[in-house]
Amino acid sequence: MTSPRLAETSEVVAQTRMPRVEIDLDALKANWRTLDALNGRGRTGAAVKADGYGLGAARVSAALYDAGCRDFFVAWVEEGVALRRALAAGDRNDARIYVLQGLEIGAVPACLATRLVPVLSSLADVAAWGEGVERAGRRAPAALQFETGMNRLGLDAAALPIVKAAEAGGTLDVALVMTHLASADEENGQSAEQRALFLRFAAEFPQAERSLANSAGCFLGPGYGCDLTRPGIALYGGWAGALSHGRLRPVATLTAAVLQVRTVKAGEAAGYGAAAELSRDTRIATVGLGYADGYLRAASGAGVPLREGRPGATAFIAGQHVPVLGRVSMDLTLLDVTDVPADLVEPGTRAEFFGPNVPIDDVADAAGTIAYELLTGLGPRVRRVGR
Ligand SMILES: *Cc1c(COP(=O)(O)O)cnc(C)c1O
């Protein structure tokens, strides 16, 4: 989200050349339906943590709700409270919102007031929830997360007797049991092991719904869908394992505008550190996008020794793919537009840095990272525009 101060300034100044990410809400909904169709009778939820993977949790959740999604996953209680408010403002009141990141006792009243379902992942979480609901004199559903091999968050087998006792004592209503797949997008056999272990845990809570699959897990076959899936990156058009290839539409298009164009002689250099040495006369377009906007410095141009052995990133301008030149700087990136007809690139021309023409996963590869990091790292100056 744009910070309030920036939004105010921007309204007054009316700049059109700032970086922008366009969010194709129809593609988002289509991706949700694609995933939903993979899961037979099970429901398909949505991970909208980290502000909807950087695209605006309120906007993407409303669109997904309208596509039929009723189960939303956030990391923190504060994210859940904000999401409840945003959904309620559009009369979307029957959404279930789960908070993945465990629970502090001080957050229980907010959970109860806004009907958040905490995902309890430790005995401390279970105790905090029990104490909180007792104090409030209320009962409310909770979810349990079990540890099945990722060794990140989750209850293990030794916790079962205590959890069962809390359930029997009436302070714990287990609505959902879940675990998280560590390798759903890889073929190392771990998913099958995790699934088997998860089903053993789940058998202890026969009345509870089951949730296992993240995005890549949705593609692993019917045994993984269970009652509810939790896709994130696939909704937003990112790679979700080899089985997702060609089945998801790009959702986010990052564009930025050319500020200047200049021709530079062979033998000169461009950018910080003179890192790009020009082997030919080169037309350079300077674009208003940089690492402060989340366009990573590690995506700098070929020859810049920031990533061993990877080509630099490319952008798409005037119908052509062009290389990033030299080092990406804080607010600016250089493109080599020598091969684009001169009259097609001028100040104000927008270049695509990822989107339908530049797969976000290619940019991520060039920067040595993953699409998740590019999306969630989009900076506050990047305008989010839904369409
Ligand atoms: C982030 C997250 C998801 C979604 O993962 P994707 O790989 O984006 O589909 C699902 N479940 C849990 C527990 C998560 O933390």
Side-chain angles (χ1 to χ4, degrees):
M1 282 281 166
T2 307
S3 70
R5 195 137 51 96
L6 188 63
E8 278 164 34
T9 320
S10 303
E11 272 156 34
V12 177
V13 179
Q15 296 177 104
T16 59
R17 292 184 183 175
M18 289 187 76
R20 191 152 79 207
V21 63
E22 283 166 29
I23 302 149
D24 183 342
L25 297 173
D26 287 337
L28 174 76
K29 292 181 193 173
N31 289 344
W32 186 83
R33 289 191 199 100
T34 296
L35 296 165
D36 194 41
L38 295 172
N39 194 22
R41 287 201 194 148
R43 299 198 307 284
T44 300
V48 296
K49 57 197 181 180
D51 201 21
Y53 286 46
L55 301 178
R59 175 186 288 116
V60 303
S61 300
L64 292 169
Y65 182 101
D66 295 345
C69 183
R70 291 293 179 275
D71 300 271
F72 298 88
F73 292 85
V74 296
W76 295 99
V77 170
E78 292 216 4
E79 291 182 315
V81 170
L83 179 59
R84 175 64 74 202
R85 225 172 258 148
L87 288 172
D91 276 330
R92 299 176 176 95
N93 290 306
D94 59 341
R96 287 170 290 272
I97 302 175
Y98 306 84
V99 180
L100 292 167
Q101 207 98 299
L103 189 74
E104 298 170 56
I105 181 121
V108 174
C111 285
L112 293 172
T114 52
R115 293 178 288 121
L116 307 182
V117 181
V119 177
L120 309 176
S121 296
S122 69
L123 285 178
D125 288 351
V126 172
W129 182 244
E131 198 178 323
V133 295
E134 213 151 56
R135 263 189 224 166
R138 294 265 303 273
R139 289 186 70 128
L144 297 177
Q145 173 161 230
F146 289 100
E147 168 49 47
T148 58
M150 190 166 189
N151 289 313
R152 192 171 71 164
L153 287 178
L155 294 151
D156 37 44
L160 272 177
I162 300 171
V163 173
K164 298 291 282 182
E167 199 186 24
T171 56
L172 182 62
D173 277 335
V174 183
L176 178 82
V177 292
M178 56 173 272
T179 194
H180 192 48
L181 296 171
S183 306
D185 56 352
E186 295 179 25
E187 286 162 40
N188 60 11
Q190 192 184 12
S191 296
E193 282 171 27
Q194 287 194 270
R195 176 174 175 273
L197 193 49
F198 173 61
L199 293 178
R200 297 225 299 271
F201 279 118
E204 300 281 334
F205 303 89
Q207 81 298 342
E209 293 193 310
R210 301 171 180 196
S211 177
L212 173 60
N214 56 356
S215 294
C218 292
F219 290 93
L220 292 180
Y224 287 83
C226 299
D227 298 306
L228 175 63
T229 58
R230 310 185 305 274
I233 196 68
L235 297 172
Y236 310 105
W239 190 79
L243 298 167
S244 75
H245 186 75
R247 303 183 71 171
L248 301 166
R249 286 169 55 183
V251 168
T253 304
L254 176 66
T255 67
V258 173
L259 305 182
Q260 279 196 5
V261 183
R262 62 165 26 77
T263 300
V264 178
K265 287 267 175 264
E268 292 191 38
Y272 278 122
E277 290 170 18
L278 306 177
S279 58
R280 60 173 180 175
D281 292 354
T282 303
R283 207 162 57 253
I284 298 175
T286 304
V287 177
L289 176 77
Y291 59 75
D293 303 302
Y295 193 70
L296 299 176
R297 186 165 175 273
S300 293
V304 175
L306 293 170
R307 320 149 315 271
E308 287 306 315
R310 292 172 198 275
T314 62
F316 189 78
I317 188 166
Q320 288 194 42
H321 292 272
V322 299
V324 169
L325 195 62
R327 289 186 194 163
V328 171
S329 54
M330 186 183 295
D331 319 293
L332 298 167
T333 294
L334 306 178
L335 299 177
D336 179 346
V337 295
T338 314
D339 298 328
V340 182
D343 57 325
L344 295 183
V345 179
E346 56 188 26
T349 306
R350 294 192 84 84
E352 176 187 319
F353 285 81
F354 58 69
N357 300 294
V358 183
I360 187 168
D361 292 295
D362 290 357
V363 185
D365 271 352
T369 184
I370 51 178
Y372 301 74
E373 195 174 26
L374 287 183
L375 287 174
T376 58
L378 287 170
R381 296 191 302 203
V382 180
R383 300 283 185 93
R384 277 71 166 165
V385 184
R387 65 168 159 81

